[in-house]
Amino acid sequence: MNLSLLAATSLATLATLTAPALAQERLTPERVFDNPSLNGPTARSVTLSPDGELVAYLLPRQDDADVLDLWAAPVAGGEPFRLVDARALVPDAGELSEAEIARRERMRISQRGVVEYSWDDQGRFILTPLEGDVFMASREDGSVRRLTETEADEIDAKVSPNGNYVSWVRNQDLVVYDLANGFEIPVTSDGEGPTTWATAEFIAQEEMDRDTGYWWSPDERYIALTRVDESGVDIIPRLDIQGSGATTIEQRYPRAGRPNAVVQVWVHDMTVGDRRQVDLGENEDIYVARVAWSNDGRTLYVQRQSRDQRTLDLLAVNPRTGDSRVVLTETNPHWVDLTHDFTPLDDGGFLWSSDRDGNLHLYRYGADGALLNQVTQGDWPIRGVEHVDEDAARVWFMASVNDPTQQHLYVTGLDGQSEPERITGGEGWWSADVGEAGVFVGNYSDPATPPNTALYAADGGRLRWIEENALDGDHPYAPFVARHTQPTYGTIQAEDGTDLHYQILTPPHFDPARQYPAIIEVYGGPGVQRVTRSWQSLASRLYLEAGYVVFRLDNRGSSNRSAAFQTALDRRLGTVEVDDQYAGLQWLRAQPYVDPARIGATGWSYGGFMVLMMMTDPRFDLAAGASGAPPTEWSLYDTHYTERFMGTPQDNASGYAASDVIARLEDLEGRLMIMHGMADDNVIFENATRVINGLQERSMPFEMMLYPGQRHGVRGNPRQLQQWRTWLDFFGRELGEE
C-alpha cells in the first residue's frame, strides 16, 4: 500500500463503519475501563532482532489488558507467535519489592507480566525479567529458561552483548550469571543502606531518562557501573497510606537547593575481576547523565552535567586506568537538554545533538572532538537518532519538519549536504526501530487510525503487518465508531506573536448552532507535547459523550519547538505558560458554539499545578477545575527538574515565591476539586495537604478525592473507572452536562 494513502484509507474505513446499519453505541466509562482494550491489539516496545530476522514486541492480553506477554513475528513471513506467556510462567504474581515498585513508577510502567526485554547482540536470546525473576527465551527452539527463583527481586536484568552472561541487580549489588556453567559471579558485595551499585538513582530515573546504572562493553570484557551514595540526601518522612493502614517511609528525596546523591562511575574488568574508579573531576556535585561504549570497546564515554545544567561535558575514559579527558563541552545560558542522540561511529568519531543554532540538530565530530560538519539544519528540531549506516554515510532520525503536530522518519547524508528525505507517509504520528539497510519496524496512528505496527522497506513500502489493528467490524471499538468525532487543529498567537498549536474536539452529532460547555485539558509543563495528530485518548472521549467540547493547547515551554520557544519560561514557571493558556481560553470563549460561562479545566501533575494557577488568576474566571497531584511550591520538588527551569530557591527566591499556589488562594474562583495519591513518592502528598490546609484556613469550600496506595498515577481499571466517574460527576454538577 502507498503510505501516502494510509490516513485516507483509515478515514474511508471509518466512514464505512458509520453506515446507518451499524448501531451507534454510546461510549461509557464502564466499557473504556474493561477488557479487551478498546484501542485494539496495540504492540508496544517493538524491536527488530540484531540479525533483522525477527520482530519482538509486547502485547496486552485479551483477558487482562494490564498484563503483557512477549510476542514475535518472523520478518520473512508467517504468523506472529507468543514467545513468553507471562501467566503460564508465573501464574500468581506476588508482591514486588519497594525498589522494583519505585523503579517501575519512575519508568511509568503500570502493567504486570513482561514489562521489558532485551536482546543479545547476535539475536540468539531474549531476556525477559518477569515478576521479580529472570527468564531467557531461545530464538532457536522457542524454549524459555528460568534463571532465578529467589525471594529478592532481580532488577534491571540484561543479557551480555555476546550472550555469554546475564546480569542483574539484587539487594543493591550487581551479579553476573555465567550461562554456560550455571553459576553466579558477584561483581560487588557492599551495597547496603544508602550505598547502591549499578542502579540509576531517583533523579536519573525520574528526570534524566536514565533507567540503568550499568553498561556492558561490546566485547564483554568490561562493565561500567555506578556507585550511588545517598547518605547526604535529606530524609523526607513520607506517609504511605494504604487501604489497610499507614506506614512511614524514610524516603531520601533531593529537594531543590538541597544535596544530591554522590554518583561515581567504576569499570569492572571481567578478565581479572578487579575494578577502577573513573575520574569524573574534583567536583562531586554533578550529574552522570549518560554512559556509552565506543564500538570497539576501547573507550568509555561519560556525559557529565553540571549542577546548574548549563554545561554538559563529554568525557572519553580509558577503561583500563579510569583516566578521562574532556572531548567536547556544550554550554547554554538557559540549560543543556539531555538526549539519547550521542552515537559512537566506527571511525572513532561520533554524532552529537545541540540546539546552538536555535533548534536541536545533529553534528558530526571526529575522534579528536573536532567538529566536522552540521548534519541537519532548518527551522525544526530533530526528535531522535534511529540508525546510522556509516558505509552508506547516512543517518535516520525522527522529526516534525513541516508540522510539529506530526512526526515522521527521515534519512539524510552524514555530510550535511543533502535535504532530509521523508520516509514515512500519512498525516499522523510515527515511531520507528530502524535496522540494517534502512529496513524498519514502524508504529503509526492518526486521529482516525488506532496504533498499528508493520515492517517497512527502506523506501517506506510496507513489507508485512506485525499488528494491523484494523478498525473494522471486528475491532473492539467498532460499536462506537459511528459517534467518533475528529479533532480540529489550528494555531493562535501568544502575546509575543508566537504560534501556539491547539486541537479541539466536539461532541457526537455536534450542532454548531448550540452552545456547549467546554473542558480545557492542560499539562503546560516544559518538555511535553499534547497536541499531536495521533490516536486520541478514549478516556478523554468520555467528556465528548457527556456533551462537552474538549480543548488542548501547547503553550510556550512545550517540546518539539525551537530553543527560544522551549526556554521562554526560564526561571519563571507559572507565568508565560499561564499567559498562553489564557490566550487559548480567550479564543475558546469567542467560539459561537461554546458557552463562555461554562468552561472548566483539568490536569494532572504539572497540569494540576496549571489548573491551580489558572483558577487563582482573575483573568480566567473558570467555572470549575480538577487539579490532580499538583506541585504547589517548587522548593518541595526535586533538584534536576526544578533547578533546570527555576535555578535554586537561594538564587531565585522571587521566582519561587511568585509560583507558590498558597499565596494566590485568596483569588480562587470557581469550584475546585483536588485529587492525589496517598503514597505519591514523586510529587509528595505534602504538596496537596498544604493547599487543603490553606483553603480550610480561609474557610473556602472545595472537593477532594484521595487514593490510598496510589503513587503519582492512579493505576488499574477499577480505580481509573472510579476516577473518571468522579470527574464526570464533578463537571456535570458544576458545568451542567448534557
Side-chain angles (χ1 to χ4, degrees), residues 271-350:
T271 60
V272 296
D274 68 350
R275 63 177 178 265
R276 291 179 174 81
Q277 186 175 354
V278 171
D279 179 11
L280 298 180
E282 295 182 2
N283 183 8
E284 291 186 332
D285 195 13
I286 51 97
Y287 296 105
V288 175
R290 301 283 184 266
V291 178
W293 287 94
S294 63
N295 293 342
D296 61 9
R298 296 179 180 178
T299 304
L300 176 70
Y301 291 104
V302 179
Q303 294 183 38
R304 177 184 65 193
Q305 188 179 45
S306 61
R307 174 70 183 258
D308 66 8
Q309 301 180 60
R310 291 171 171 169
T311 302
L312 182 65
D313 295 316
L314 177 65
L315 307 180
V317 180
N318 183 334
R320 291 172 296 158
T321 65
D323 295 336
S324 67
R325 60 184 176 89
V326 177
V327 176
L328 180 152
T329 297
E330 187 79 32
T331 61
N332 191 295
H334 301 285
W335 60 79
V336 180
D337 271 324
L338 301 178
T339 75
H340 294 284
D341 297 329
F342 171 74
T343 307
L345 302 175
D346 289 338
D347 63 7
F350 55 88

Side-chain angles (χ1 to χ4, degrees), residues 554-632:
D554 280 338
N555 49 251
R556 282 172 291 173
S558 303
S559 65
N560 202 23
R561 298 292 296 275
S562 69
F565 186 93
Q566 295 186 77
T567 59
L569 41 61
D570 188 14
R571 301 305 185 264
R572 49 182 184 149
L573 296 183
T575 58
V576 296
E577 70 273 43
V578 177
D579 292 340
D580 290 353
Q581 292 295 331
Y582 178 63
L585 174 64
Q586 288 179 299
W587 180 90
L588 183 64
R589 277 201 167 116
Q591 304 313 299
Y593 53 84
V594 172
D595 185 340
R598 293 192 295 161
I599 299 179
T602 181
W604 198 269
S605 194
Y606 201 103
F609 166 72
M610 288 290 289
V611 169
L612 292 174
M613 297 298 285
M614 292 158 64
M615 294 190 69
T616 55
D617 187 326
R619 295 176 298 172
F620 281 79
D621 192 24
L622 294 172
S627 171
T632 63

Side-chain angles (χ1 to χ4, degrees), residues 96-97 100 103-104 116 128-135 146-158 166-171 173 175 184:
L96 297 171
S97 68
E100 179 64 0
R103 179 173 178 268
R104 293 189 182 194
E116 55 184 327
T128 58
L130 177 58
E131 306 297 355
D133 284 315
V134 182
F135 298 80
R146 185 169 192 155
L147 302 182
T148 67
E149 193 168 2
T150 60
E151 184 175 344
D153 282 349
E154 282 73 36
I155 297 173
D156 194 14
K158 302 176 185 178
V166 171
S167 50
W168 54 73
V169 178
R170 180 197 295 143
N171 295 329
D173 281 306
V175 176
E184 294 184 359

Side-chain angles (χ1 to χ4, degrees), residues 411-466:
V411 63
T412 194
L414 288 174
D415 60 5
Q417 298 301 306
S418 57
E419 288 294 318
E421 175 190 353
R422 178 170 145 178
I423 303 299
T424 50
E427 295 184 357
W429 199 265
W430 286 86
S431 63
D433 181 51
V434 184
E436 296 303 319
V439 174
F440 67 96
V441 175
N443 296 80
Y444 175 82
S445 79
D446 62 41
T449 308
N452 59 53
T453 305
L455 181 71
Y456 297 89
D459 63 359
R462 190 175 67 238
L463 299 175
R464 65 154 297 169
W465 285 114
I466 302 299

